[in-house]
Amino acid sequence: FMSNRKEKIITVTSNKGGSGKTTISLCMSMYFSCRKNKKTLFMELDSSPGDFAVLFETVPENSIEIALKFPDKLSTYVKKVNNNLDVIKGFSSPLTAEEVETDEIINLLNNALKKYEIIIIDTQNVLNGLIIDVLKKTDYIFLISELEIESLYRNLEFLSLLKNKFLF
């Protein structure tokens, strides 16, 4: 769907690990921040934990876990990569991600939209309440698939689940 606001949330997801979600999200973030000169936030919602700590040398104190509790102080918990790109590391464990309430993630995204023109969200390969909440707030969903019949079938099932159960 298309939103009327000028800020956009783009979520990259897949129901398979190792499909390139982080790589594609990173490329999108660099494209919007460098080529399009848009103030961009690259947000990790992987609770495995993901690759952000290594990629961006983030510190545990600066993560989405703390930012969710103090959404109005989001800029305190992001790491500046360049003039237009900030990143925020995901959760330290899947259990922490499972405890996030809908209003917490929506408040954080709403605060982020006040500062950033583009938010790129890198998700995990497990569909949970947090990911559903984010997908509902998202303007564009990039569903990544491998070119194998099994992967394509799993993604069709994923789309069917989003449409029929969660009314996307």
Side-chain angles (χ1 to χ4, degrees):
F1 68 89
M2 294 287 290
S3 162
N4 289 331
R5 66 177 190 261
K6 72 174 189 164
E7 306 87 358
K8 300 288 182 220
I9 300 174
I10 301 170
T11 300
V12 179
T13 191
S14 176
N15 59 0
K16 182 180 181 304
S19 61
K21 293 181 298 294
T22 301
T23 302
I24 290 168
S25 299
L26 176 59
C27 290
M28 282 186 186
S29 297
M30 295 304 292
Y31 172 78
F32 283 111
S33 66
C34 296
R35 296 284 185 156
K36 292 296 185 179
N37 204 29
K38 302 277 185 189
K39 187 69 178 159
T40 304
L41 176 64
F42 184 14
M43 179 183 289
E44 179 187 45
L45 283 186
D46 194 340
S47 59
S48 12
D51 302 318
F52 270 46
V54 174
L55 283 172
F56 299 109
E57 298 176 347
T58 59
V59 293
E61 301 80 41
N62 288 354
S63 72
I64 197 166
E65 291 176 50
I66 300 167
L68 283 164
K69 304 300 179 202
F70 307 99
D72 54 325
K73 296 183 179 181
L74 175 62
S75 58
T76 307
Y77 306 109
V78 299
K79 178 165 185 183
K80 187 171 222 30
V81 175
N82 66 37
N83 284 339
N84 283 327
L85 179 60
D86 292 344
V87 298
I88 188 162
K89 182 176 94 52
F91 299 92
S92 58
S93 78
L95 295 176
T96 308
E98 288 293 327
E99 296 173 358
V100 175
E101 299 290 330
T102 299
D103 62 329
E104 289 178 305
I105 191 63
I106 298 305
N107 285 340
L108 182 64
L109 290 172
N110 285 337
N111 273 286
L113 286 169
K114 293 175 188 174
K115 180 176 182 182
Y116 299 98
E117 297 172 273
I118 302 287
I119 301 172
I120 307 291
I121 302 174
D122 177 27
T123 68
Q124 61 186 9
N125 61 320
V126 175
L127 195 59
N128 60 19
L130 172 65
I131 302 301
I132 294 296
D133 291 338
V134 167
L135 290 174
K136 286 181 178 179
K137 180 87 173 153
T138 294
D139 297 293
Y140 300 99
I141 299 170
F142 276 72
L143 178 60
I144 308 302
S145 180
E146 294 176 344
L147 290 176
E148 299 170 355
I149 196 73
E150 183 180 290
S151 182
L152 293 168
Y153 178 76
R154 278 196 315 266
N155 279 332
L156 284 174
E157 290 294 314
F158 182 79
L159 290 171
S160 177
L161 178 69
L162 290 177
K163 180 182 173 195
N164 296 325
K165 184 169 182 179
F166 300 107
L167 305 176
F168 277 78

